[in-house]
Amino acid sequence: MKVRQRRTRRPRPASPAGNRVQFHFVDGAFVEITGDVDEEYLVEFIDSRTGERVHHARIRTNHWVRTARQYFTPWRINVFRAKGHQRVFTHQYDGRGRRVYVAFESKALGDTLAWFQTVEAFQRQQGCELICSTFMNGLFRAQYPDIRFVEPGETVHNLYAMYRVGWFCLPQGEIDFNRNPRDFRQQPLGESAADILGVSYQPIRPRIASAGNERPIPEKYACIAVHSTAQAKYWNNPSGWSEVVTHLLQRGYRVMLLSVEGMQYMGNHVPAGVTPLPPGDIVRVADWLRHATVFVGIGSGLSWLAWAVGCKTCVISGFSLPYTEAPDMIRAGARPGDCSGCFNRHPLDPGDWNWCPDHKNTPRMFECTRNITGQDVIALLAPHLD
């Protein structure tokens, strides 16, 4: 005989008589008391990891209160009648089986790739019905069938919680510590997303969609990307790229240029002998990288894409400190004694192409990469070439 097990239902929190407590965790913990009985209540929001009462407020019926803190916190909400301090409502955050939305606020390819694996870790930890928006959903949708992808800005209903992943600053450039738990400039790029979502950071490659497993060309090849969004990110040694490309050609490699900006951009030129990649979407670019012997790039999203698909990735960067990128990237960094790491010490001014906060308009401008030679990079590549 089969015995049918009775389904256990979660206990519903009590509400104050005649009124109703409504709550959610969208952009912070939120409580609203609605109804016809005019009373005053004390609402408190407790971080259940520490027992700290992070925020509290007195509100009347048909008013609401929200925490300033927006990153993941396992909140415990208590509501008391102000008169007599009788607790009339309590709720402990529990995402199991509930609809939780994670929205990426950055359009940058590198940010998206560095952050994405934390989303799956968050889903496993929470046991939630996860909804996610990125500006590059096509890279992930087929590889993560348990995540529902929506477009940025799309309205999503019936949410229990929502978290926004990004680097958030106040109007004067200070870090908004209500949205980023720690100083994102002082940690690996991917760790800031783990902080916001409350998961342990692991630099794990995200799974990237593929248009097919066929090798795009029969000969061996290397990929390079020379362009970026600020001159400080470029390799500013005037002969560096030419030396590396010549070396690869002499070793029998075809050298493929992935930068969509083409052979010249903002005064930066690609050396002769390089073949621009045929036009295609980012998934096709990822397939080229899967079969490349090596990728050489700068502090840009294409370096993160190369790393994500498992290509040997050499990053030439002086504007960032070594901990910023993934630990298993091959890294050509600033020479000892040279200025470096402005990205980790100053807010980037995206409106100033020649941003160099420490040495702009001096002989030391961009010395962080200007003094990295072609031979420095060739030596790093040597163990990885056929």
Side-chain angles (χ1 to χ4, degrees):
M1 181 178 68
K2 293 184 180 179
V3 178
R4 180 172 296 174
Q5 185 175 358
R6 179 177 294 175
R7 181 178 297 173
T8 302
R9 294 184 177 180
R10 294 177 182 161
R12 293 183 177 179
S15 293
N19 292 331
R20 178 176 176 79
V21 176
Q22 303 191 59
F23 67 94
H24 58 68
F25 303 94
V26 175
D27 293 332
F30 173 93
V31 165
E32 182 179 22
I33 300 176
T34 60
D36 298 326
V37 180
D38 183 29
E39 288 188 295
E40 185 179 42
Y41 299 95
L42 172 65
V43 182
E44 62 178 16
F45 301 93
I46 297 171
D47 185 339
S48 62
R49 295 169 299 193
T50 63
E52 176 190 4
R53 186 168 75 165
V54 177
H55 186 74
H56 67 281
R58 287 177 177 266
I59 63 172
R60 301 198 72 85
T61 309
N62 298 316
H63 289 72
W64 59 266
V65 60
R66 185 196 303 270
T67 62
R69 182 191 293 183
Q70 296 184 26
Y71 56 83
F72 173 79
T73 302
W75 293 110
R76 184 167 70 252
I77 299 172
N78 292 322
V79 179
F80 302 87
R81 279 195 175 91
K83 184 177 181 179
H85 203 72
Q86 175 193 8
R87 187 168 70 179
V88 295
F89 176 89
T90 186
H91 178 79
Q92 173 65 51
Y93 181 98
D94 183 358
R96 289 175 298 176
R98 290 184 162 115
R99 289 163 59 82
V100 179
Y101 182 16
V102 175
F104 281 26
E105 297 293 296
S106 173
K107 297 180 180 180
L109 175 61
D111 295 347
T112 303
L113 294 169
W115 295 340
F116 192 81
Q117 197 60 21
T118 61
V119 174
E120 186 177 47
F122 175 77
Q123 183 185 34
R124 288 197 301 266
Q125 179 173 291
Q126 294 289 311
C128 60
E129 179 187 339
L130 186 65
I131 302 155
C132 183
S133 66
T134 79
F135 289 88
M136 299 172 188
N137 289 344
L139 283 175
F140 309 113
R141 184 178 282 109
Q143 304 300 312
Y144 294 88
D146 293 332
I147 297 175
R148 177 192 166 196
F149 288 90
V150 297
E151 294 305 310
E154 183 176 335
T155 301
V156 182
H157 297 285
N158 302 320
L159 292 176
Y160 180 70
M162 178 178 179
Y163 304 100
R164 300 180 190 274
V165 176
W167 282 15
F168 300 106
C169 293
L170 299 171
Q172 299 303 315
E174 311 96 324
I175 294 169
D176 184 349
F177 285 108
N178 282 319
R179 305 180 76 183
N180 290 104
R182 292 191 292 162
D183 184 346
F184 45 73
R185 299 188 185 101
Q186 302 301 313
Q187 58 187 175
L189 178 56
E191 192 165 0
S192 53
D195 277 358
I196 291 169
L197 296 179
V199 299
S200 298
Y201 172 62
Q202 297 292 333
I204 299 172
R205 293 172 172 82
R207 300 187 295 276
I208 303 298
S210 174
N213 293 319
E214 294 184 5
R215 186 179 179 88
I217 55 175
E219 63 262 45
K220 66 180 184 180
Y221 64 93
C223 293
I224 67 170
V226 307
H227 297 302
S228 193
T229 54
Q231 195 64 44
K233 299 182 181 183
Y234 276 74
W235 186 10
N236 288 288
N237 186 302
S239 63
W241 279 115
S242 180
E243 293 175 40
V244 169
V245 168
T246 297
H247 178 76
L248 291 170
L249 293 171
Q250 290 174 345
R251 292 288 299 266
Y253 288 90
R254 190 172 177 183
V255 182
M256 306 300 300
L257 174 68
L258 304 188
S259 301
V260 296
E261 294 85 353
M263 299 300 287
Q264 57 180 351
Y265 182 69
M266 296 296 288
N268 298 279
H269 300 270
V270 178
V274 172
T275 304
L277 196 69
D281 63 18
I282 194 67
V283 173
R284 188 58 179 157
V285 174
D287 285 341
W288 275 87
L289 285 164
R290 281 190 173 91
H291 298 281
T293 300
V294 71
F295 168 85
V296 187
I298 55 178
S300 74
L302 288 171
S303 294
W304 284 96
L305 183 62
W307 169 80
V309 301
C311 180
K312 291 291 183 182
T313 301
C314 179
V315 176
I316 305 161
S317 180
F319 92 119
S320 63
L321 294 175
Y323 62 74
T324 309
E325 290 86 24
D328 54 348
M329 289 182 179
I330 308 159
R331 197 174 195 282
R335 290 178 175 272
D338 283 352
C339 182
S340 66
C342 54
F343 175 74
N344 303 98
R345 296 182 285 106
H346 302 282
L348 174 67
D349 180 1
D352 181 4
W353 179 263
N354 289 311
W355 180 78
C356 181
D358 297 309
H359 303 292
K360 187 174 181 179
N361 299 325
T362 76
R364 296 186 64 185
M365 187 173 180
F366 302 139
E367 71 177 14
C368 57
T369 56
R370 190 177 65 248
N371 293 339
I372 301 171
T373 69
Q375 291 304 311
D376 292 335
V377 176
I378 288 169
L380 290 171
L381 293 177
H384 309 285
L385 300 180
D386 298 335

